[in-house]
Amino acid sequence: MRELCLRCLRPKESCYCKYIGRVNAGIKFVFLMHPKEAKRQRTGTGRLAALSLPGSEIVTGVDFSRNERVNALLADSSCYPVLLYPAEDAWTSAREGFREAVGGRTLLVFLVDSTWACSKKIIKSSGNLQTLPKFSFSGSYRSIFTFKHEPKDYCVSTIESCYYLIKELQGAGMADASANPEPLMDVFKKLIQFQLQKENERIQSGVPGSHAYDWKYTKLREIPSL
């Protein structure tokens, strides 16, 4: 049995910890992780993001209505909680009045770390999340996660979401401008390169993949330098 790194939960021979850098922009991120996502750490980016962001937390579950930790965070008057979720009425860093609404409080960003379908289930099940102000991007972004196909063009990975939010909030003067968010993308790029390399090795060896859809992938993929 392969020995795991207890920090990133990867096998020690493919540990990502040496690529992880701290990004402290003065924003608190809370990752609401679906149990299915918590079990499949191989390509999930929520844990890597949490390891990169000091003060961030991972809370696992589906219905967070009575989750003690989530409710304690929501009750903290020093924070201004928002839910990262696309909506027509969502706040953005560029929207007039957002900076005034946050005031001197710490911006507390809840991110649902799951598939799109499971994310909808989490929000539908969690009444305390439904009442939060929605928060989204002011710009449009495309994921560089070439190993994974997102359901919509505007869907980006959890770690990319943190990166783009920090960049936008820095531009709006609402995050520490001295914080360098690039380590988030650096470790993410290493993950992409590793996954493509392993997929190519699987194809070359002729060994069946562990996922039902692996039969679709029979051609070697170019590994980008990124």
Side-chain angles (χ1 to χ4, degrees):
M1 188 173 180
R2 292 184 298 178
E3 190 175 359
L4 295 180
C5 169
L6 298 180
R7 185 167 180 247
C8 70
L9 302 184
R10 295 283 309 168
K12 284 196 172 180
E13 65 268 21
S14 58
C15 171
Y16 292 131
C17 289
K18 58 181 172 291
Y19 304 116
I20 293 173
R22 292 168 63 86
V23 181
N24 192 353
I27 305 160
K28 184 170 180 63
F29 291 92
V30 177
F31 303 94
L32 304 176
M33 189 176 290
H34 192 280
K36 289 182 179 179
E37 189 71 22
K39 290 180 180 179
R40 51 175 295 280
Q41 290 291 345
R42 291 191 303 165
T43 57
T45 66
R47 187 168 186 82
L48 290 178
L51 291 173
S52 304
L53 299 163
S56 63
E57 300 182 38
I58 295 175
V59 186
T60 303
V62 177
D63 182 357
F64 292 95
S65 300
R66 298 181 181 179
N67 184 282
E68 291 185 6
R69 182 53 185 156
V70 170
N71 286 327
L73 288 167
L74 292 174
D76 187 346
S77 61
S78 68
C79 295
Y80 183 84
V82 294
L83 175 67
L84 182 66
Y85 200 80
E88 290 186 3
D89 62 342
W91 287 106
T92 71
S93 60
R95 182 176 165 184
E96 185 178 352
F98 179 63
R99 184 169 185 166
E100 290 72 20
V102 177
R105 290 172 287 180
T106 298
L107 185 62
L108 170 60
V109 182
F110 286 93
L111 298 93
V112 179
D113 187 35
S114 180
T115 63
W116 191 244
C118 289
S119 295
K120 289 181 178 180
K121 184 176 181 180
I122 286 175
I123 294 172
K124 185 177 180 180
S125 302
S126 307
N128 51 352
L129 299 182
Q130 295 173 23
T131 62
L132 292 179
K134 302 293 192 303
F135 188 57
S136 191
F137 306 112
S138 58
S140 298
Y141 305 103
R142 295 288 296 271
S143 179
I144 65 168
F145 206 166
T146 56
F147 184 74
K148 180 180 178 183
H149 296 287
E150 298 290 359
K152 300 290 184 182
D153 287 345
Y154 58 78
C155 295
V156 295
S157 68
T158 300
I159 200 166
E160 287 173 301
S161 295
C162 297
Y163 173 80
Y164 291 124
L165 283 180
I166 290 172
K167 294 279 284 185
E168 289 193 354
L169 288 164
Q170 285 178 323
M174 297 181 65
D176 187 346
S178 66
N180 178 17
E182 295 305 324
L184 288 164
M185 293 300 283
D186 291 341
V187 68
F188 182 48
K189 290 172 182 178
K190 291 296 182 182
L191 180 149
I192 293 172
Q193 291 171 333
F194 179 81
Q195 293 298 330
L196 289 174
Q197 176 187 336
K198 288 301 179 182
E199 180 66 9
N200 284 347
E201 290 175 1
R202 181 193 68 78
I203 292 171
Q204 289 175 320
S205 68
V207 175
S210 58
H211 300 289
Y213 51 77
D214 281 338
W215 64 270
K216 298 179 182 179
Y217 304 109
T218 58
K219 294 183 179 180
L220 296 180
R221 307 275 295 276
E222 181 180 353
I223 300 177
S225 60
L226 298 174

